[in-house]
Amino acid sequence: MLNSMFYRIRLFPYLSLLLWILPLLLFSSGDNSLMAHDEGLYARRSRVMFESGDWIAPWGTVHHKTPGPYWIIAISYQLFGISEASVRLPSMIIGILSILLIYEIGKILLNQKLAWLTGLILSVQFLWLQYCRLGTPDVPMIFLVLLAILSLLQAERHPKYKYVLTFIAGFSLGLGFLVRSFMIFLPIVALLPYLIGEHRRHHHLSNPYLYLGFVVGFIPTLGWLWLNWMRYGNDSYEELFRFVFQLGSNERGGNGIIFYLWNVPLKAFPWFFFSFLGLVLLIRRPIPRYQLILVGFPVTLFAELSVFSTRLSHYSLCLYPFIALLAAVGLSWLGKWGDGEIKKLPRNLSYIFGGLGILLVLAGIVILIGVDDIEIRKYAILGLIMGLGWLILPLVWIGRYHFHQKFLTANYWLAGWLIPCWLALAVAGGLGLFSDYNPDVRVFLQQPAIASVLQNHPVYFLQVDGKTAVLLNFYTPVHGQPVNSITELPTSSYAWISATQAAELTTPYQVIGTVQQHQLIQVL
């Protein structure tokens, strides 16, 4: 029955992938608050751009990033109004398109079944889903990289249209600079093993339309740089180089060269381990023509990211579509349920994860009974659901090989990996873990007294910084003029100050409210 169901839904792969990913993107507790630091910064800068009408440099100083992400979010504001949903909607849409792109890439590199499995796996990778629901430029950049790769692959298969397709590839990579600045060069370099190693076959590097497309895609950035240069002179482009130099020379948070060796397996659990198996299988039995994309691209990109001094989880997101591809290869191999050593590995994995599932169920029950902390109880619910889901694995195996239930095919076993992750992520969305990142700030700003002040009065910012300040900047509709001290504030005006500043103030004021070491005050 499940075999026939899988066959039917593969007849409509786009529809089935949409039905798989859409609930994960849409399930929400109904409460939303932006993530500080990055999402809040992009949301605030886009808001300044939208409200000022200045789409070049509305901040009054030279900026260190290209404006592509701000333009995307500002257009969303124009269409749907200013809200958290408008900040995140572009990433959601582009994330869905990226799933469909990796499916098309998988069909070329592997086959339709593995491509479809790739789309399912990518959708239930925690970090990928999280950033598909955040207003940041990471997913848009990955979309452009995947579009470029698909165009190059299609140019090989359809020589009649190779000039158009290579132009699209170059255009996508050139446009990537507008979206993610110099970070786009990391995946471009990761493509070089394929572009150089297979050049005799596809001749992409000698195709002038590839470079023409890149130049055309780079034109919006050049226009922005020119208009910036007219305002700020050489500082307009020097700031871009200065910022990337700082990223490349400063290690952040003690994240050493081995950071991605543990962080990627953790954030892509359990799919990273299947992808490692898939990598080993492909090294032993290379896929003709496409080995340098399927294996060469992620290995090269992983090495680049590890050498790059600033190492953060979301910098590795471009690896995740390829983790899904390799995981599909590894999981499919395990799902063949062969004899001897091949049979032992899926059997052992079934029992190991079944045992882990029992532990998660027991821990979840204990926490739900004995712990009152709401946040801890949320994670206990996730553990309980994941644990119950993983019990599918040993049950399928036992039913197949001990009770001789032949209808329990490998597809049921594959579902035992996918369904628990899907359910856990769906519940996480329903609990607000993918949408409500700062509930304290949200609840504070919803108080009638606070909301009334913010909606009806300009509010000054008195040397307020930090992550909470990023959110307050976005959620404060009308900003007062910049000031350096409270003595410059007009009588009866309102201002945000830090709690440490409050102890040093001598001017009379009253505190309207306090949130996370920041106060909203009124000068008396």
Side-chain angles (χ1 to χ4, degrees), residues 125-127 258-273 275 298 301-302 305-306 312-320 322-323:
Q125 293 189 73
F126 166 76
L127 192 68
I258 66 169
F259 173 73
Y260 295 112
L261 287 176
W262 64 264
N263 187 266
V264 173
L266 178 65
K267 296 295 177 67
F269 181 82
W271 311 111
F272 176 84
F273 300 101
S275 73
L301 183 59
F302 187 90
L305 292 169
S306 297
L312 300 170
S313 294
H314 64 277
Y315 283 7
S316 66
L317 269 173
C318 203
L319 287 171
Y320 281 68
F322 291 87
I323 290 174

Side-chain angles (χ1 to χ4, degrees), residues 365-377:
I365 293 173
V366 169
I367 292 173
L368 289 174
I369 292 174
V371 178
D372 293 328
D373 188 286
I374 295 177
E375 292 301 315
I376 295 178
R377 289 171 66 89

Side-chain angles (χ1 to χ4, degrees), residues 317-335:
L317 269 173
C318 203
L319 287 171
Y320 281 68
F322 291 87
I323 290 174
L325 280 168
L326 296 172
V329 173
L331 196 59
S332 176
W333 182 80
L334 288 172

Side-chain angles (χ1 to χ4, degrees), residues 65-99:
K65 292 186 178 182
T66 47
Y70 311 134
W71 289 355
I72 293 172
I73 297 175
I75 291 172
S76 185
Y77 289 158
Q78 181 75 47
L79 295 174
F80 307 107
I82 297 174
S83 67
E84 297 92 345
S86 298
V87 174
R88 294 165 175 169
L89 185 60
S91 287
M92 290 185 180
I93 295 173
I94 295 171
I96 293 171
L97 296 177
S98 298
I99 297 289

Side-chain angles (χ1 to χ4, degrees), residues 502-520:
E504 303 172 0
L505 297 180
T506 57
T507 303
Y509 68 93
Q510 66 172 342
V511 177
I512 308 299
T514 302
V515 58
Q516 295 184 0
Q517 303 302 314
H518 289 78
Q519 294 180 342
L520 178 63

Side-chain angles (χ1 to χ4, degrees), residues 10-248:
R10 286 204 305 273
L11 293 177
F12 307 97
Y14 281 8
L15 178 60
S16 59
L17 289 173
L18 286 174
L19 293 175
W20 179 259
I21 184 63
L22 276 175
L24 298 180
L25 294 174
L26 298 177
F27 282 169
S28 172
S29 63
D31 294 320
N32 296 284
S33 58
L34 298 179
M35 174 191 279
H37 192 267
D38 284 356
E39 187 183 33
L41 287 173
Y42 285 110
R44 169 59 186 164
R45 291 167 183 166
S46 302
R47 180 170 187 166
V48 172
M49 181 176 286
F50 169 68
E51 292 181 336
S52 68
D54 182 353
W55 290 56
I56 304 302
W59 307 285
T61 59
V62 65
H63 196 55
H64 60 283
K65 292 186 178 182
T66 47
Y70 311 134
W71 289 355
I72 293 172
I73 297 175
I75 291 172
S76 185
Y77 289 158
Q78 181 75 47
L79 295 174
F80 307 107
I82 297 174
S83 67
E84 297 92 345
S86 298
V87 174
R88 294 165 175 169
L89 185 60
S91 287
M92 290 185 180
I93 295 173
I94 295 171
I96 293 171
L97 296 177
S98 298
I99 297 289
L100 303 182
L101 282 179
I102 198 62
Y103 166 76
E104 291 295 332
I105 291 171
K107 282 201 303 183
I108 298 172
L109 300 182
L110 301 169
N111 57 53
Q112 185 179 17
K113 179 181 177 181
L114 291 182
W116 183 69
L117 184 58
T118 295
L120 299 181
I121 292 173
L122 180 58
S123 301
V124 293
Q125 293 189 73
F126 166 76
L127 192 68
W128 172 262
L129 181 64
Q130 181 184 31
Y131 274 81
C132 284
R133 298 185 59 158
L134 288 176
T136 64
D138 302 278
V139 173
M141 186 199 77
I142 294 169
F143 167 80
L144 292 172
V145 172
L146 294 178
L147 179 59
I149 292 173
L150 178 60
S151 299
L152 292 172
L153 294 174
Q154 292 286 21
E156 289 188 48
R157 302 176 72 221
H158 304 286
K160 182 179 179 181
Y161 303 106
K162 67 178 181 179
Y163 295 117
V164 173
L165 291 167
T166 51
F167 177 88
I168 293 173
F171 178 81
S172 300
L173 297 175
L175 197 62
F177 193 91
L178 181 72
V179 173
R180 205 67 176 93
S181 188
F182 287 97
M183 289 296 293
I184 189 63
F185 288 107
L186 294 178
I188 289 176
V189 171
L191 275 173
L192 290 180
Y194 161 73
L195 292 174
I196 296 173
E198 297 287 343
H199 178 69
R200 289 185 178 180
R201 182 172 52 78
H202 55 59
H203 302 291
H204 289 328
L205 288 178
S206 59
N207 188 333
Y209 284 84
L210 178 67
Y211 305 101
L212 177 62
F214 185 86
V215 171
V216 173
F218 202 70
I219 286 176
T221 304
L222 290 176
W224 174 77
L225 283 172
W226 170 256
L227 295 173
N228 244 350
W229 180 83
M230 294 179 67
R231 296 189 188 186
Y232 303 112
N234 294 340
D235 288 345
S236 57
Y237 58 85
E238 288 178 356
E239 186 64 24
L240 292 176
F241 287 99
R242 188 179 300 115
F243 180 68
V244 74
F245 177 77
Q246 290 173 350
L247 288 179

